Amino acid sequence: MQGAPLIAMLHGCNLNMLGKRSVEHYGDITLDQLEKVVVDNAKKLGFQTICFQTNHEGVMVEKIHELRIRAAGMIINPGAWTHYSYAIHDALEMIAGPVVEVHLSAIEKRKEEWRHHSVISDVCDLTITGKGVDGYREALIWLVSKLRQNQ
Ligand code: DQA
């Protein structure tokens, strides 16, 4: 695996509580289980993965800076920051490789209107919503095919 291209999977605020929060929207999978699905699938496809979660916006911004060139591609679910964090928007704008925004729930259909808009979509190459864990599988497959095209 050493030398294999790196895919980063980043999760924002409250996503460490998966399995315990709003099961009707996010399912009962824990973050550890979700990360394992992506890590295992990426490995089979010849990619390394780094997984990271934080509840602190500045820490997320710094992690994105660190991965700016290091990561060949990125999957990000920023949680509620999706809807208002221009700081995360601007950090993602600097990412060299392709970025996929993933949401477990269909944010555009949720009852709270503020969830309908993502401030980061315009700096992401693809947005996947409402497909639960399958959305992450889809993000990974899309990233891998994109990275192989660019090789
Ligand atoms: C979420 C949707 C957001 O609105 C929410 O704040 C989350 C999770 C999702 O995965 O569906 O924390 O990003």
Side-chain angles (χ1 to χ4, degrees):
M1 269 286 96
Q2 245 196 345
L6 183 69
I7 289 181
M9 180 158 77
L10 306 185
H11 282 97
C13 47
N14 295 309
L15 287 161
N16 57 313
M17 299 305 284
L18 283 180
K20 297 191 186 89
R21 67 181 286 224
S22 309
V23 172
E24 70 281 18
H25 291 120
Y26 308 125
D28 57 8
I29 195 164
T30 65
L31 184 58
D32 280 351
Q33 291 164 342
L34 178 57
E35 288 176 344
K36 191 172 171 353
V37 168
V38 174
V39 171
D40 290 352
N41 279 292
K43 199 169 174 185
K44 283 185 203 144
L45 295 163
F47 287 76
Q48 297 182 67
T49 318
I50 177 177
C51 299
F52 180 77
Q53 189 277 331
T54 179
N55 294 315
H56 303 276
E57 190 179 6
V59 173
M60 179 62 94
V61 166
E62 283 175 356
K63 182 54 81 174
I64 296 170
H65 293 171
E66 182 197 317
L67 292 164
R68 191 168 66 89
I69 290 162
R70 206 179 133 213
M74 181 178 285
I75 296 172
I76 184 163
N77 180 349
W81 292 325
T82 304
H83 312 296
Y84 64 88
S85 176
Y86 298 121
I88 290 176
H89 170 283
D90 286 357
L92 289 173
E93 206 170 24
M94 291 183 258
I95 290 282
V99 180
V100 185
E101 171 188 8
V102 179
H103 300 283
L104 290 154
S105 66
I107 51 173
E108 65 286 356
K109 293 186 190 147
R110 301 261 310 258
K111 72 170 194 297
E112 303 93 344
E113 228 178 290
W114 56 267
R115 287 192 206 272
H116 299 178
H117 181 63
S118 162
V119 300
I120 66 155
S121 291
D122 70 307
V123 287
C124 294
D125 298 277
L126 177 71
T127 297
I128 299 171
T129 69
K131 296 186 176 175
V133 187
D134 283 345
Y136 287 82
R137 291 195 183 93
E138 194 177 313
L140 178 67
I141 288 165
W142 186 88
L143 268 183
V144 167
S145 71
K146 184 91 182 157
L147 294 169
R148 285 185 179 150
Q149 273 167 35
N150 296 348
Q151 260 170 13

